[in-house]
Amino acid sequence: MEVAPMPFQTRNQKIAHLAFKEIKEMERVKSLQAGERERFASMAKKLPFLVRTAGLAQAISFLEAKSKSSDADKALLSGLSATVTVMMNFPTGDLFTEKCRNANNLSEYIRLTETTLEALEWFKRFSESVLPVQEK
């Protein structure tokens, strides 16, 4: 089921739409196995706390390092990157991780952090409601 964007959306609605699209794409291509889905949901829940305590640059660098060994972390980083890149109007080729580490100024870093936290809120919600996780 494709959800068409509404003509006038709030910022939060746009982020929700983009996050939902990323989660549905992951589900469609079946890129995550059951255990990886649980890891995706777990990291989506933990990452906002990590951003608030350690900072955006450190949290994203941590996720980037973890993504080398885990498909779930790679999927979260990819979806988060796509969502935030659109919301921040970055050029298509810009790397989200580079922008997190090398923001031009403090106001851009703060805006990037806020946008990332808003996106993570929706990734957390949709990972709980949309991605099927097997009960133990």
Side-chain angles (χ1 to χ4, degrees), residues 64-123:
E64 188 177 27
K66 289 287 194 182
S67 71
K68 290 176 176 45
S69 62
S70 168
D71 289 340
D73 295 335
K74 189 181 297 182
L76 179 58
L77 181 60
S78 172
L80 185 61
S81 176
T83 301
V84 174
T85 298
V86 169
M87 290 307 299
M88 294 288 292
N89 296 319
F90 291 149
T92 309
D94 274 2
L95 291 175
F96 168 68
T97 55
E98 283 298 313
K99 284 288 191 180
C100 290
R101 287 190 292 265
N102 303 319
N104 292 333
N105 53 45
L106 183 60
S107 62
E108 182 183 42
Y109 185 78
I110 290 171
R111 186 167 164 247
L112 187 56
T113 300
E114 289 171 349
T115 304
T116 302
L117 286 170
E118 289 170 351
L120 282 169
E121 179 183 336
W122 285 104
F123 274 95

Side-chain angles (χ1 to χ4, degrees), residues 2-135:
E2 180 62 30
V3 178
M6 297 183 307
F8 299 103
Q9 293 180 319
T10 66
R11 176 181 165 80
N12 210 12
Q13 287 171 327
K14 288 177 189 174
I15 292 173
H17 178 76
L18 292 168
F20 183 74
K21 199 165 81 171
E22 290 294 326
I23 295 278
K24 289 305 279 184
E25 180 63 20
M26 280 183 257
E27 184 184 36
R28 186 185 68 75
V29 296
K30 306 273 190 253
S31 61
L32 298 177
Q33 302 302 324
E36 290 291 311
R37 289 180 182 153
E38 291 169 4
R39 181 166 172 81
F40 180 94
S42 174
M43 185 57 82
K45 289 177 191 173
K46 292 176 185 175
L47 201 55
F49 177 75
L50 189 57
V51 169
R52 286 186 186 98
T53 56
L56 179 64
Q58 291 82 358
I60 296 302
S61 294
F62 172 77
L63 183 60
E64 188 177 27
K66 289 287 194 182
S67 71
K68 290 176 176 45
S69 62
S70 168
D71 289 340
D73 295 335
K74 189 181 297 182
L76 179 58
L77 181 60
S78 172
L80 185 61
S81 176
T83 301
V84 174
T85 298
V86 169
M87 290 307 299
M88 294 288 292
N89 296 319
F90 291 149
T92 309
D94 274 2
L95 291 175
F96 168 68
T97 55
E98 283 298 313
K99 284 288 191 180
C100 290
R101 287 190 292 265
N102 303 319
N104 292 333
N105 53 45
L106 183 60
S107 62
E108 182 183 42
Y109 185 78
I110 290 171
R111 186 167 164 247
L112 187 56
T113 300
E114 289 171 349
T115 304
T116 302
L117 286 170
E118 289 170 351
L120 282 169
E121 179 183 336
W122 285 104
F123 274 95
K124 181 175 84 169
R125 289 177 183 176
F126 291 137
S127 68
E128 292 171 347
S129 62
V130 176
L131 284 180
V133 177
Q134 289 182 332
E135 296 295 323

